[in-house]
Amino acid sequence: MNQISDAAHSYMLFYRKQNNSSMLIYHFSFYLVSFVGHMPLQRPSPSGDRSSHIDNLVRKLGPTLPKDVLKGFVNEAKNETGSINATPKTQQKKGIPIPPQVVMQPFTSKNISRINGKAKMKSDVDESEGFCDLKYGSYCIWREENREEMHDSMVKKLKDQLFVARAYFPSIVKIPAQSKLSGELKQNIQEVERVLSESTTDADLPPEIQKKSRRMEAVIARAKSVSLDCNNIDKKLRQIFDLTEDEANFHMKQSAFLYQLAVQTMPKSLHCLSMRLTVEYFRDHLFDKELSEKYSDPTLQHYVIFSNNVIASSVVINSTVVHAIDTVNQVFHVLTDWQNYYAMKHWFLRNTFRDAVVQVLNIEDPDSYGKATLSHLTLPVEFRVSFPSNDSAPAINNRTQYVSIFSHSHYLLPEIFKNLEKVVVLDDDVVVQQDLSALWSLNMGGKVTGAIEICSVKMDQLRSYLGDHSFQKHSCSWMSGLNVIDLARWRDLDISETYWKLVKEVSMKEGSALLATLLTFQDQIYALDRVWVLSGLGHDYGLDIEGIKKAAVLHYNGNMKPWLDLGIPKYKEYWKKFLNHEDQYLSECNVNR
């Protein structure tokens, strides 16, 4: 009996740890403990016995998310991760253990579940909750932060008892000597079925439900004491295991997919704001004034922002101006697309930022920039990189970093700003907390761009993407977010041409944007002091609050952007304080209330 109880307990722990987010497994553990006390159990195999009835039930009760979505969602993950964790043959021969390196492509639905390079066996899942972070990324952090207590526990308990009673009834009714017990089982089953047909929450249950539950529990205990041929019950147990496991896994993947969809989709409030501003621009565009003499003056401080988000770009500009000692020399250039161009124009015409001026440019307009245009705006590209903290650390404890790099649009800067020699590029997911004027007197020693280096992610760790190209193995990777760019030096070295050639060479490779950018700027990065930028506010819950307050720039790299409901609440306040909550359009569109 002790061995059987241990087996039942093991089942419960196994399934609860595997799908901690699904309450289905939690409830089913009750089934297991409550009625298999006398049965010898074996762990169900992945290809366990499953009747056609259960297959039909799975199809009927399955969630409504289209199958082709999750088919691509999982299959593409399996197909595309094989090369990521490959170990070079030379190192395999020497027997040097190399921790698996995982570098993710920009976030799409197909790579949500491909973070962990190798497929994990079920027995590996319960090693650590960290596996969830590796597989589903920041969705798991968000899930833990927003976990809700289980509601309607009595309804769930009744459903559990009903299943147990139904599992025993077919065997009990075949024993003539147990006719009285089978009658009581049938009566209790009918009573609970009647209650559940009328009640879906605990508040709907009748007052005497506790008594009914105790009677059901007592009759189930008597049924367990009867000597039975347990084949039927064992078969049902295996079937419900398979059914519950499949359903829980499906819901986990569906939840992660919907979370990722929420991250990539523009919130309704921001869409409302963009539409309202666009309409108002065409109603009253007579006050549109150009200050071209400032826009092209190389003696001024020019900041460039690539964005399709009105509020995000406004926060960047407002936070920069608020902390600037002198704003007369500040010029901001917001590069956007056709869809958001007029909304941006209207917003920055009706809002002033001390003495600074703001120019809005449509990067998709061929009439204005000719060759220096793209068919569509591209924003800084973000890669999710998973790497070990040390050589002996198991993969389950890998640390995650979100690396943002230049997009195609960044390589048009020398052509768009032909008269300028130096610019500071700010991503639209940053907040400025100190004066940035010191960046304009920075001596970069002939380097093209100043950036924050990430020495926890080195070029050697990205070798699966860099392939046969020559690179310095121990050099650090770097981040966009805050970048000082010497356009004159850029033109001298023809950086853009180098980049486009590399893009053509590696266009068919996974991670081609990351590869082309890192190789283009190899030996051309001036490392900024780390006090300039603190990254991770879009994914890391463990940042030091004092470090946040001291940083000159906060970078919300990661999935949890501050303008999303999914944003990390304790970091949102640093972003939201630069919004004008009294603005008419923000109030009407319910932006960040």
Side-chain angles (χ1 to χ4, degrees):
M1 287 298 291
N2 290 336
Q3 293 177 349
I4 296 172
S5 298
D6 290 342
H9 185 63
S10 298
Y11 267 114
M12 181 177 69
L13 291 180
F14 175 75
Y15 283 98
R16 287 185 65 184
K17 287 187 177 181
Q18 181 168 2
N19 290 293
N20 194 31
S21 69
S22 175
M23 296 310 297
L24 296 171
I25 295 297
Y26 175 79
H27 303 317
F28 184 65
S29 64
F30 172 82
Y31 308 156
L32 178 62
V33 177
S34 62
F35 77 97
V36 299
H38 63 287
M39 288 173 50
L41 297 177
Q42 295 179 350
R43 177 170 293 184
S45 63
S47 58
D49 183 17
R50 180 183 295 189
S51 68
S52 59
H53 172 71
I54 296 299
D55 290 334
N56 292 332
L57 186 60
V58 171
R59 287 192 290 271
K60 289 180 181 179
L61 299 181
T64 57
L65 190 66
K67 292 182 179 179
D68 57 342
V69 172
L70 288 182
K71 182 179 180 181
F73 178 72
V74 176
N75 291 342
E76 288 190 44
K78 293 180 180 178
N79 295 334
E80 295 179 11
T81 53
S83 63
I84 293 176
N85 291 321
T87 303
K89 293 182 179 179
T90 56
Q91 294 183 350
Q92 289 176 345
K93 291 180 180 179
K94 294 180 181 180
I96 301 175
I98 299 179
Q101 308 298 330
V102 183
V103 182
M104 292 310 300
Q105 284 297 314
F107 294 105
T108 60
S109 60
K110 72 179 183 179
N111 61 27
I112 296 172
S113 61
R114 55 183 269 207
I115 304 302
N116 192 24
K118 292 185 178 181
K120 298 285 288 186
M121 298 297 291
K122 291 181 181 179
S123 59
D124 295 331
V125 177
D126 59 348
E127 291 180 3
S128 171
E129 286 297 324
F131 176 76
C132 179
D133 180 58
L134 287 177
K135 187 174 183 182
Y136 295 109
S138 56
Y139 157 74
C140 302
I141 304 174
W142 176 86
R143 183 195 64 182
E144 289 297 323
E145 182 77 6
N146 294 274
R147 184 178 299 278
E148 296 182 359
E149 295 182 2
M150 183 177 65
H151 301 292
D152 304 313
S153 57
M154 179 54 72
V155 170
K156 293 177 174 65
K157 181 179 179 181
L158 291 174
K159 290 179 179 179
D160 296 344
Q161 291 178 333
L162 183 60
F163 171 77
V164 175
R166 284 171 173 171
Y168 273 95
F169 180 74
S171 300
I172 297 293
V173 77
K174 294 177 182 179
I175 303 176
Q178 299 295 334
S179 57
K180 181 178 180 182
L181 177 59
S182 63
E184 292 182 13
L185 263 176
K186 182 177 181 180
Q187 181 181 355
N188 279 274
I189 289 173
Q190 291 175 342
E191 288 182 2
V192 174
E193 285 178 338
R194 189 180 305 111
V195 170
L196 293 178
S197 67
E198 300 173 353
S199 307
T200 57
T201 64
D202 285 358
D204 300 331
L205 295 173
E208 67 278 5
I209 194 60
Q210 293 288 351
K211 294 181 179 180
K212 292 182 182 293
S213 177
R214 284 194 292 269
R215 284 200 300 270
M216 175 67 91
E217 193 170 347
V219 76
I220 290 173
R222 289 171 56 196
K224 289 186 349 183
S225 64
V226 177
S227 297
L228 298 172
D229 179 2
C230 296
N231 288 335
N232 289 336
I233 301 177
D234 177 70
K235 184 177 180 180
K236 282 186 174 293
L237 176 65
R238 294 179 185 276
Q239 289 172 345
I240 197 65
F241 266 141
D242 290 340
L243 172 63
T244 310
E245 179 186 6
D246 290 345
E247 190 171 354
N249 282 332
F250 190 96
H251 282 296
M252 173 72 83
K253 293 171 184 174
Q254 185 184 49
S255 298
F257 175 81
L258 293 176
Y259 166 86
Q260 198 69 18
L261 187 64
V263 166
Q264 298 179 14
T265 305
M266 177 183 288
K268 182 179 179 181
S269 58
L270 296 186
H271 181 73
C272 164
L273 178 64
S274 182
M275 294 300 100
R276 285 294 309 275
L277 291 171
T278 300
V279 171
E280 292 301 323
Y281 174 84
F282 287 103
R283 284 182 180 175
D284 183 17
H285 63 280
L286 297 179
F287 62 94
D288 188 348
K289 297 179 181 180
E290 293 288 339
L291 301 174
S292 55
E293 66 280 359
K294 275 199 167 187
Y295 296 157
S296 57
D297 187 348
T299 64
L300 302 180
Q301 300 176 4
H302 294 265
Y303 297 87
V304 177
I305 303 167
F306 293 90
S307 181
N308 57 9
N309 187 324
V310 176
I311 287 299
S313 54
S314 179
V315 166
V316 175
I317 295 175
N318 192 28
S319 63
T320 305
V321 169
V322 165
H323 295 98
I325 297 175
D326 181 15
T327 62
V328 174
N329 295 324
Q330 288 186 327
V331 181
F332 293 88
H333 307 271
V334 181
L335 277 63
T336 188
D337 53 15
W338 272 117
Q339 182 176 345
N340 296 281
Y341 175 67
Y342 297 107
M344 290 275 196
K345 290 279 285 186
H346 190 69
W347 178 264
F348 290 113
L349 286 170
R350 70 188 299 270
N351 289 279
T352 59
F353 301 88
R354 295 174 62 184
D355 295 321
V357 296
V358 181
Q359 179 188 27
V360 179
L361 301 175
N362 178 8
I363 202 172
E364 298 176 359
D365 184 6
D367 295 333
S368 299
Y369 307 107
K371 293 182 180 180
T373 57
L374 294 172
S375 58
H376 63 279
L377 172 72
T378 55
L379 301 178
V381 188
E382 223 168 47
F383 290 81
R384 183 171 185 266
V385 183
S386 182
F387 54 89
S389 56
N390 55 67
D391 292 343
S392 61
I396 201 70
N397 295 323
N398 281 3
R399 180 176 174 80
T400 297
Q401 177 71 52
Y402 289 76
V403 180
S404 58
I405 61 170
F406 287 171
S407 69
H408 291 335
S409 298
H410 286 71
Y411 295 91
L412 303 178
L413 289 174
E415 291 297 321
I416 294 177
F417 303 106
K418 294 181 179 180
N419 296 327
L420 303 183
E421 296 182 356
K422 191 173 187 179
V423 296
V424 171
V425 179
L426 299 170
D427 287 359
D428 67 354
D429 59 350
V430 304
V431 169
V432 178
Q433 298 191 124
Q434 296 178 21
D435 179 46
L436 300 182
S437 59
L439 294 173
W440 298 97
S441 59
L442 197 64
N443 182 5
M444 297 194 297
K447 303 294 185 181
V448 174
T449 181
I452 297 296
E453 289 190 333
I454 313 173
C455 290
S456 57
V457 182
K458 299 197 174 180
M459 300 285 275
D460 186 47
Q461 293 175 301
L462 306 176
R463 60 185 176 274
S464 59
Y465 282 99
L466 300 177
D468 297 331
H469 293 271
S470 59
F471 58 91
Q472 298 176 3
K473 294 184 177 181
H474 299 294
S475 61
C476 303
S477 58
W478 53 277
M479 288 270 285
S480 67
L482 170 67
N483 300 98
V484 184
I485 296 180
D486 186 341
L487 291 178
R489 184 65 174 160
W490 185 307
R491 296 185 187 98
D492 291 341
L493 297 177
D494 207 355
I495 294 294
S496 297
E497 185 64 24
T498 302
Y499 174 77
W500 294 120
K501 286 181 180 179
L502 284 170
V503 167
K504 290 180 180 179
E505 290 179 12
V506 301
S507 59
M508 299 303 294
K509 289 187 177 181
E510 191 176 23
S512 58
L514 178 64
L515 167 58
T517 296
L518 292 179
L519 293 178
T520 297
F521 283 98
Q522 190 171 211
D523 298 325
Q524 295 302 326
I525 299 297
Y526 174 82
L528 296 177
D529 195 310
R530 296 193 64 83
V531 299
W532 278 107
V533 181
L534 178 65
S535 301
L537 279 80
H539 70 92
D540 190 347
Y541 278 78
L543 295 178
D544 179 46
I545 299 299
E546 289 301 317
I548 293 176
K549 294 178 180 179
K550 293 178 181 179
V553 175
L554 302 179
H555 191 188
Y556 288 80
N557 60 316
N559 268 354
M560 304 180 190
K561 303 300 184 186
W563 54 84
L564 299 175
D565 290 338
L566 300 175
I568 301 176
K570 63 181 179 180
Y571 302 150
K572 277 188 175 183
E573 61 180 273
Y574 302 102
W575 185 86
K576 294 177 72 172
K577 67 182 179 181
F578 295 105
L579 286 177
N580 178 13
H581 294 286
E582 303 303 321
D583 185 273
Q584 173 188 349
Y585 296 139
L586 295 188
S587 299
E588 291 177 356
C589 290
N590 196 30
V591 175
N592 282 283
R593 306 310 288 178

